[in-house]
């Protein structure tokens, strides 16, 4: 072009770049670091024309080993490389969105890992919602004992007994139909001599026989109604019967 241009400045061996040197690939793209047989090998730093910077280990003119790639927008990858690609464990800092991914890469593709919020408050373009933490209140609802033992009204079969609010003039509580299972439990509870697994007395209402021993009727009621709502209703019902 009519004037000299700097291409390489550094150490040589047998007419080849060897040792520390600087290679200029363009006005804004150059490498500074170790060489071996005209190839980038060892430790080095590469400045790319797009603004990215790689600093770490090289082998046969490609990033190989541990290294860090810092992109123009501030994001960076720290981890292992093979043949110029991300391979192995590493961390990618998405500083523009305020997130950090830590996992395992194969040929520049992240195969598995975890993503967490990292510097989200200072990120220029944060995600719309933060990542919820494991065990936080942002998780979905959890079933309660009452949800498991008392089916919703939509699941009650036609003709099946169900509690209804007390009518005016009655005591506060529930009104039970003759075939209500809670009434059966109340009658069996009144017979203190009955045991679960025994045969109900003639003419008496009782819980279905079971081979489980030696649970009492009151203990079974507690298992069926851990919140105590049924126990309170049974007490009101018994008092009503006595009155």
């Amino acid at each position: 072009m009519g004037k000299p241009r700097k291409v390489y400045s550094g150490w040589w061996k047998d007419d080849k770049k060897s040792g520390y040197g600087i290679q200029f690939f363009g006005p804004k793209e150059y490498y500074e670091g170790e060489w071996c047989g005209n190839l980038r090998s060892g430790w080095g730093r590469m400045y790319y024309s797009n603004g990215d910077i790689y600093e770490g280990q090289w082998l046969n003119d490609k990033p190989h080993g541990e290294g860090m790639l810092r992109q123009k927008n501030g994001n960076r990858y720290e981890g292992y490389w093979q043949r110029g690609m991300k391979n192995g464990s590493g961390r990618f800092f998405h500083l523009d969105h305020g997130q950090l991914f830590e996992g395992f890469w194969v040929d520049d593709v992240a195969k598995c890992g975890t993503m967490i919020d990292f510097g989200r408050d200072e990120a220029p373009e944060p995600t719309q919602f933060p990542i919820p933490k494991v065990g936080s209140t942002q998780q979905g609802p959890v079933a309660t004992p009452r949800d498991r033992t008392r089916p919703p009204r939509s699941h009650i079969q036609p003709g099946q007994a169900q509690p209804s609010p007390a009518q005016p003039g009655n005591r506060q509580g529930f009104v039970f139909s003759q075939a209500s299972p809670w009434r059966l439990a109340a009658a069996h509870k009144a017979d203190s001599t009955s045991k679960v697994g025994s045969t109900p007395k003639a003419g008496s209402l009782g819980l279905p026989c079971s081979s489980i021993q030696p649970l009492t009727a009151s203990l079974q009621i507690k298992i069926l109604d851990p919140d105590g709502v049924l126990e309170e209703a049974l007490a009101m019902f018994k008092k009503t019967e006595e009155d």
Side-chain angles (χ1 to χ4, degrees):
M1 302 299 293
K3 58 180 180 180
R5 180 171 61 92
K6 182 184 292 187
V7 176
Y8 174 78
S9 175
W11 291 86
W12 299 78
K13 182 178 181 180
D14 298 333
D15 206 27
K16 295 180 180 180
K17 307 181 189 74
S18 293
Y20 178 82
I22 301 176
Q23 171 80 42
F24 295 91
F25 301 93
K28 297 182 180 181
E29 184 167 316
Y30 63 95
Y31 168 85
E32 58 174 343
E34 296 178 309
W35 295 79
C36 182
N38 273 342
L39 299 177
R40 291 169 288 186
S41 293
W43 178 93
R45 183 188 295 116
M46 179 70 193
Y47 295 85
Y48 297 93
S49 58
N50 62 358
D52 296 348
I53 303 174
Y54 171 82
E55 181 176 0
Q57 295 176 315
W58 294 73
L59 181 65
N60 295 331
D61 222 34
K62 294 181 180 180
H64 191 97
E66 293 187 68
M68 178 186 68
L69 176 65
R70 185 167 64 250
Q71 298 177 338
K72 182 180 180 179
N73 60 0
N75 296 346
R76 70 178 186 271
Y77 168 81
E78 300 176 357
Y80 287 89
W81 300 73
Q82 285 185 1
R83 307 180 310 278
M85 296 179 291
K86 304 179 189 71
N87 275 280
S89 59
R91 300 186 299 174
F92 198 104
F93 295 82
H94 298 270
L95 299 182
D96 54 342
H97 300 313
Q99 292 181 332
L100 167 62
F101 177 83
E102 184 171 1
F104 194 88
W105 274 259
V106 176
D107 294 344
D108 269 346
V109 179
K111 293 296 183 178
C112 61
T114 57
M115 180 80 78
I116 63 174
D117 287 328
F118 183 85
R120 185 172 177 273
D121 296 337
E122 294 79 19
E125 299 177 1
T127 55
Q128 184 177 3
F129 301 104
I131 300 176
K133 296 181 180 180
V134 176
S136 67
T137 57
Q138 300 184 34
Q139 288 183 321
V142 179
T144 61
R146 183 176 297 181
D147 296 331
R148 295 192 295 268
T149 57
R150 300 187 64 181
R153 292 183 179 271
S154 59
H155 294 170
I156 297 177
Q157 301 298 326
Q160 181 179 352
Q162 56 180 331
S164 59
Q167 300 299 326
N170 293 342
R171 299 180 184 274
Q172 184 179 3
F174 294 96
V175 177
F176 298 91
S177 63
Q178 181 67 22
S180 171
W182 293 317
R183 181 180 177 87
L184 299 178
H188 190 71
K189 177 174 170 45
D191 184 4
S192 59
T193 61
S194 299
K195 303 289 184 179
V196 176
S198 62
T199 303
K201 294 182 179 180
S204 66
L205 297 175
L207 295 174
C209 295
S210 171
S211 60
I212 302 176
Q213 293 288 349
L215 296 177
T216 62
S218 60
L219 181 56
Q220 183 166 353
I221 291 174
K222 291 183 180 296
I223 296 176
L224 295 176
D225 184 41
D227 294 336
V229 177
L230 178 58
E231 189 77 19
E232 183 180 355
L234 289 175
M236 293 182 181
F237 178 79
K238 184 177 179 181
K239 184 172 178 57
T240 303
E241 288 281 331
E242 293 174 354
D243 294 343

